[in-house]
Amino acid sequence: MTQQTTNETTESMPGEAERTRVLAVCRSNWEYRGIDDASVREMLAELSEHLEEAASAGRSPEDVVGADVPGFAASWARARTPLRLRVLRMAALIPFALGVLLLLTHLIDRTLALPVEAPRIAFYAVIIAVGVTLELRRGSLGFLRWLLVGLIGIGIAQLTTWLVGDGTLFRLPLWATLLLMLPGLPYAHGDMRARKAATTAAE
């Protein structure tokens, strides 16, 4: 009887340890995102209930949250944020993401004044439009979806080249590119700290 109880306890420990780890990662992520204590407790209670129901059905925590726990936590945090705050966040991150893309192009082309053509505008427009839509609906895209969006953007850029050509419309100075990134820096920094804290908690 004692041996049987020991075996059952040993078998249940891995699942319990994984649930504890998932909750710890999510807590760290949500706290670093500035979510208030009451909301964090409510979200943890809800997640814990989902994990327990999954365990009762013989499913693992990964079946509930996926393989990327920090990504799940970030997605849920954004989904639980009021729409006006999510819109404000995206309004800051859109020019930040655009600024990053432009800055990389500045570096690759080694120029302080980046020539901007219609195909380039079309490419960035697709990246931003699709990215923002999916971010607001799903919370997180993931690498493969971003790659797919990038391929769509390249296709649209090629079509734009065929339709209107690739002549330079204007030149964008480096200082303007850096200025675009300013509104989104606090959000990007917060996301980075949240992911780092969640990774630390997972270890």
Side-chain angles (χ1 to χ4, degrees), residues 118-119 121-123 125-126 150-163:
I121 293 176
F123 173 77
V126 169
L151 292 175
I152 294 173
I154 292 173
I156 296 297
Q158 291 295 328
L159 178 61
T160 304
T161 301
W162 180 70
L163 290 174

Side-chain angles (χ1 to χ4, degrees), residues 105-185:
T105 310
H106 275 285
L107 295 175
I108 292 173
D109 293 351
R110 296 183 180 181
T111 177
L112 296 177
L114 185 66
V116 178
E117 312 88 1
R120 194 190 299 273
I121 293 176
F123 173 77
Y124 291 148
V126 169
I127 296 294
I128 292 172
V130 177
V132 169
T133 300
L134 294 181
E135 281 279 351
L136 288 175
R137 290 177 62 87
R138 301 181 61 89
S140 179
L141 291 182
F143 174 75
L144 292 179
R145 290 192 182 94
W146 271 119
L147 180 60
L148 177 60
V149 172
L151 292 175
I152 294 173
I154 292 173
I156 296 297
Q158 291 295 328
L159 178 61
T160 304
T161 301
W162 180 70
L163 290 174
V164 301
D166 58 356
T168 299
L169 301 177
F170 60 92
R171 301 185 72 86
L172 185 72
L174 179 59
W175 64 263
T177 297
L178 297 176
L179 194 62
L180 279 173
M181 300 172 61
L182 285 181
L185 280 177

Side-chain angles (χ1 to χ4, degrees), residues 11-81:
E11 291 174 359
S12 65
M13 284 179 64
E16 182 63 33
E18 180 62 15
R19 289 197 295 276
T20 301
R21 185 189 73 84
V22 168
L23 292 173
V25 170
C26 289
R27 176 192 291 275
S28 296
N29 193 295
W30 296 336
E31 287 177 346
Y32 269 93
R33 289 179 185 276
I35 298 177
D36 61 276
D37 292 341
S39 296
V40 169
R41 287 195 298 269
E42 179 183 343
M43 293 163 71
L44 286 173
E46 183 177 344
L47 177 57
S48 180
E49 183 178 345
H50 289 320
L51 293 175
E52 289 174 3
E53 290 175 355
S56 300
R59 297 162 56 211
S60 69
E62 184 173 329
D63 294 328
V64 177
V65 302
D68 182 8
V69 182
F72 166 82
S75 174
W76 203 1
R78 286 192 287 265
R80 296 289 289 265
T81 304

